[in-house]
Amino acid sequence: MDMLNGSIWDKILKMAIPLAASGILQQLFNAADIAVVGQFVGGSALAAVGANSPVINLLVNLFVGLSVGANVVISTAFGERSARSISRGVHTSILVSLLSGVFLAVIGVVFARPILEFISTPSDILEQAILYLRIYFVGMPFIMLFNFAAAVLRSKGDTRRPFYVLLVSGAVNVAFNLFFVLVCKMDVEGVAIATVIANVVSSVSLVYFLMHEVGPLKFEFWKLRITPFIFKRIVHIGLPAGFQGVVFSFSNVCIQSAINSLGSATIAASAAALNYEYFIFFWLSSFSAACVTIVSQNKGANNIPRCRSVLRWTLLLNGISTVIIGALMALFARPLLHLFTSDAQIVEIAVIRLYIVMALEIVNVFLDNISAALRGLGHSLAPAVICAVGVCGVRIVWVWTVFPCYRSFKALMTVYPVSWTVAGLVIVGMYFYVIRKLNRATLMNLKTSK
């Protein structure tokens, strides 16, 4: 895909739609786990699996942020037409993914119990939650490998093959979920093992594709090493993005701890609603991923006006589509939630989360996409700090101050749109400051060259 010339809107859609489908399919791994245990095992198993989502995100997001850094570095190298940097970026990224995955596997297996006890997981679901988390994290090297390999392919605009791979591995996950639970009569351990198998399939498939690439994107085991200056650039971009994700997840863990204090029914309801929230989040974040890739390439080519056009088109396309999807999910909230549970009480609690969070998801479009554009322009620390203070700070303060006064699920969920609005206003101002600075630098360079 030529991201440096021609129309922009169609390139954004060509990247974002398969990427959104990939993210949604990846989330379906967890959704399938929740649906199977909710329908065929019971509410306690549903709560045990659902209680793990914020913990998993907290532990994983730092290293997923590094995959964003890998995507930016390799995309910029494409813009600079540097084959050597592309190749070194590929092999550094793959090795970093494997090392990250092994590290996370050890952390997840060893510290599952203290982590879940720290967030006040109810005693009636604690042992099931620990078992699920430990098995899930055994497959973490494959999860990291998939994320980094997908980031490598995305750097040249290829989002279709990761989607096809997830389509297959998603079917594998659902099939093994049903087999282990219905045939083998397993509990949460069955759905966790199915997820691990599906992640092995997806990651190995992408590595196979990279091994059969033509040109600098080709992966070869004998070239597997960390190139210091490439790694430094990946960390420079990816670490703030990962830190942003970690702080986001920490604030969500605080919220999950508050949810846990409201009982198992509320935990199960939040877990069911969270799946649809993740779907719209992946749709939203797919546009930001397309934005960061295209902006990175054009920044490498020193075409700042085109970078600005990319963001404008991304905000327009993502904003309209997110409003439509959110409205449809709110309209069909109850039938959608019945896919995960037949318990009427759980459904009614879950509807509260869907209505409140979906209402102002459009604010998150601005926050997420402008943050992505700033990372593509080489400014990764600023959006991370803004989101840490504006989003996560507001959420943590809310949990500690507002929630104890009202102690309701509705009061707790209101923190999401409030925190997005606070951070969104600041990130818009930051973007215009950076653009003005880059425009001045471009004018100075033109005057110097003349």
Side-chain angles (χ1 to χ4, degrees):
M1 186 185 297
D2 181 5
M3 302 183 195
L4 305 178
N5 303 285
S7 59
I8 295 172
W9 67 271
D10 56 332
K11 294 180 176 65
I12 293 172
L13 291 177
K14 285 177 182 177
M15 284 196 66
I17 292 175
L19 190 59
S22 298
I24 290 170
L25 281 172
Q26 200 167 18
Q27 174 55 28
L28 280 173
F29 288 175
N30 186 252
D33 294 351
I34 291 174
V36 169
V37 296
Q39 294 289 353
F40 301 111
V41 181
S44 62
L46 170 61
V49 175
N52 275 295
S53 295
V55 175
I56 291 169
N57 290 334
L58 175 64
L59 295 175
V60 167
N61 273 341
L62 177 63
F63 299 98
V64 171
L66 290 180
S67 74
V68 174
N71 172 249
V72 171
V73 168
I74 299 172
S75 296
T76 304
F78 269 109
E80 296 169 343
R81 305 188 187 281
S82 174
R84 190 177 186 184
S85 293
I86 294 170
S87 179
R88 288 180 171 181
V90 170
H91 293 89
T92 297
S93 299
I94 296 299
L95 184 53
V96 168
S97 74
L98 294 172
L99 295 174
S100 302
V102 171
F103 173 77
L104 284 170
V106 173
I107 294 296
V109 171
V110 174
F111 295 101
R113 180 178 293 276
I115 290 171
L116 290 168
E117 287 178 344
F118 176 75
I119 64 170
S120 305
T121 304
S123 58
D124 60 329
I125 64 170
L126 179 61
E127 294 305 321
Q128 288 177 301
I130 291 170
L131 180 60
Y132 179 86
L133 188 63
R134 283 176 171 163
I135 296 173
Y136 187 97
F137 268 82
V138 168
M140 195 52 65
F142 299 100
I143 294 175
M144 288 293 103
L145 182 58
F146 173 84
N147 278 286
F148 276 79
V152 169
L153 289 171
R154 193 165 63 243
S155 67
K156 72 164 189 174
D158 183 358
T159 57
R160 291 186 180 183
R161 282 186 290 180
F163 166 67
Y164 296 145
V165 165
L166 282 174
L167 193 62
V168 173
S169 58
V172 169
N173 186 57
V174 172
F176 276 104
N177 270 335
L178 295 172
F179 173 74
F180 287 134
V181 172
L182 297 182
V183 179
C184 300
K185 305 301 180 184
M186 298 172 77
D187 205 321
V188 295
E189 71 274 18
V191 294
I193 293 170
T195 300
V196 171
I197 293 171
N199 285 317
V200 171
V201 171
S202 61
S203 60
V204 170
S205 299
L206 286 194
V207 171
Y208 173 84
F209 288 141
L210 286 173
M211 291 174 65
H212 289 80
E213 279 286 318
V214 176
L217 216 61
K218 182 180 177 67
F219 171 71
E220 298 174 275
F221 280 101
W222 66 273
K223 292 184 179 179
L224 200 60
R225 64 179 59 87
I226 292 178
T227 303
F229 84 92
I230 293 289
F231 179 69
K232 183 178 179 181
R233 291 171 65 187
I234 289 174
V235 170
H236 175 73
I237 299 295
L239 193 59
F243 171 74
Q244 178 179 329
V246 167
V247 178
F248 257 106
S249 297
F250 177 74
S251 68
N252 288 335
V253 167
C254 292
I255 293 173
Q256 183 66 45
S257 180
I259 292 171
N260 291 349
S261 70
L262 297 174
S264 296
T266 304
I267 297 173
S270 181
L274 192 59
N275 282 284
Y276 294 109
E277 193 175 315
Y278 278 138
F279 292 157
I280 198 167
F281 167 75
F282 280 119
W283 175 262
L284 188 156
S285 63
S286 69
F287 281 84
S288 65
C291 180
V292 73
T293 301
I294 302 174
V295 168
S296 298
Q297 284 210 15
N298 283 278
K299 175 63 166 58
N302 201 30
N303 190 347
I304 303 304
R306 187 171 173 86
C307 293
R308 296 176 63 183
S309 296
V310 171
L311 178 60
R312 285 196 295 268
W313 272 111
T314 305
L315 290 173
L316 178 64
L317 296 170
N318 198 5
I320 293 172
S321 57
T322 298
V323 168
I324 294 172
I325 294 171
L328 289 173
M329 283 191 175
L331 182 63
F332 297 102
R334 286 177 177 80
L336 289 171
L337 290 166
H338 274 293
L339 294 175
F340 292 94
T341 180
S342 56
D343 189 313
Q345 180 191 7
I346 292 175
V347 169
E348 290 308 310
I349 298 172
V351 165
I352 295 172
R353 177 162 193 151
L354 277 184
Y355 283 171
I356 294 176
V357 176
M358 295 301 179
L360 283 176
E361 194 76 51
I362 184 64
V363 179
N364 206 18
V365 169
F366 285 87
L367 178 61
D368 215 49
N369 286 304
I370 294 176
S371 296
L374 287 169
R375 279 193 287 271
L377 292 168
H379 295 264
S380 189
L381 182 59
V385 172
I386 290 169
C387 289
V389 176
V391 175
C392 308
V394 168
R395 291 179 184 180
I396 293 170
V397 170
W398 189 280
V399 169
W400 289 347
T401 58
V402 177
F403 176 68
C405 295
Y406 296 95
R407 287 200 60 80
S408 71
F409 190 54
K410 184 176 181 180
L412 190 58
M413 291 300 100
T414 305
V415 71
Y416 284 101
V418 169
S419 61
W420 291 335
T421 302
V422 171
L425 292 172
V426 180
I427 205 80
V428 169
M430 180 65 197
Y431 171 74
F432 284 114
Y433 168 77
V434 169
I435 284 296
R436 282 196 299 268
K437 188 176 178 180
L438 288 171
N439 284 337
R440 284 197 298 267
T442 302
L443 287 173
M444 289 294 292
N445 290 334
L446 287 174
K447 290 178 181 178
T448 304
S449 64
K450 289 180 179 179

